[in-house]
Amino acid sequence: MEGPLGGPSYAYRGATIDCQKGGYVCRLVMPDHPLHGRGFGVVGTITPLVDLWLDEQRLPNYMRLAMSKPKKR
């Protein structure tokens, strides 16, 4: 099915994954997820992030560092 970004759109565990044509750049649509609305690579990059969030309410370690708030000086 063609989604709003012109490529395939997928439903996965309550999330929507919309891709551009070719399916190489996709966006996560899941309002309760901290990465809602952000673009990534292929669908296979996003589905583990959905799984980890739903199963453990967390992001991978390498993403938690990037998402943390900068310290005030």
Side-chain angles (χ1 to χ4, degrees):
M1 177 172 123
E2 187 174 309
L5 299 181
S9 184
Y10 305 92
Y12 181 74
R13 295 188 70 186
T16 301
I17 302 168
D18 295 320
C19 302
Q20 294 179 359
K21 282 188 176 181
Y24 297 107
V25 178
C26 302
R27 172 182 68 190
L28 172 62
V29 180
M30 187 177 185
D32 293 338
H33 198 286
L35 300 174
H36 167 72
R38 301 225 180 163
F40 299 92
V42 297
V43 172
T45 303
I46 299 175
T47 54
L49 297 173
V50 172
D51 290 335
L52 192 59
W53 185 254
L54 291 175
D55 297 342
E56 301 180 27
Q57 291 288 299
R58 68 179 188 92
L59 296 172
N61 290 338
Y62 70 92
M63 286 191 161
R64 285 189 284 169
L65 292 173
M67 295 292 297
S68 64
K69 294 179 181 177
K71 293 181 181 179
K72 292 183 179 181
R73 292 182 179 190

